[in-house]
Amino acid sequence: QSWAAYAFRHTRFRRPDFKYSSEYLEAEAEYYAQDYLVVSPVAGCFPNTEEVKTEIVKRDQIWKEYGMPLIVGIVPDGDVDAAVDKYIQMQKDAGLDKVLQVVQAQVDESTK
């Protein structure tokens, strides 16, 4: 979801019109002001993946070849646990830990 779509839907950027009355917008603003609604501290954080682009490409390929069939229950030998373990290991071998480390560092920096 793009930031533009968010901006156009967010109450503070809208004005009453034929679709949204001022009463509707006021009620929506009250709803969004509730204490139990939490805004993610990483909202708007878009990690730079340049450093891990090779790892991401490898992981995407593994997802297409093994992950997608696995998630819908296609397991060649019928041993689901072994297939899941193999998939996890393949993702790690393709650089999962490096991707997590790089992105986490950027998230930590953006939430200081």
Side-chain angles (χ1 to χ4, degrees), residues 40-61:
S40 171
V42 294
C45 175
F46 299 99
N48 179 348
T49 58
E50 187 65 27
E51 185 180 340
V52 289
K53 66 183 178 184
T54 303
E55 289 80 3
I56 291 172
V57 169
K58 289 178 189 175
R59 293 188 63 240
D60 284 347
Q61 187 62 37

Side-chain angles (χ1 to χ4, degrees), residues 1 5 13-14 16 21-22 25 35 37 42 52 56 62 76 78 83-85 91-92 95 97 99 102-104 109:
Q1 181 166 329
F13 299 115
R14 288 194 303 210
S21 68
S22 58
L25 293 176
D35 291 339
L37 295 176
V42 294
V52 289
I56 291 172
I62 293 168
V84 169
D85 291 342
Q91 287 288 349
K92 287 183 177 186
D97 294 332
V99 173
V102 167
V103 173
Q104 186 63 55
E109 183 64 30

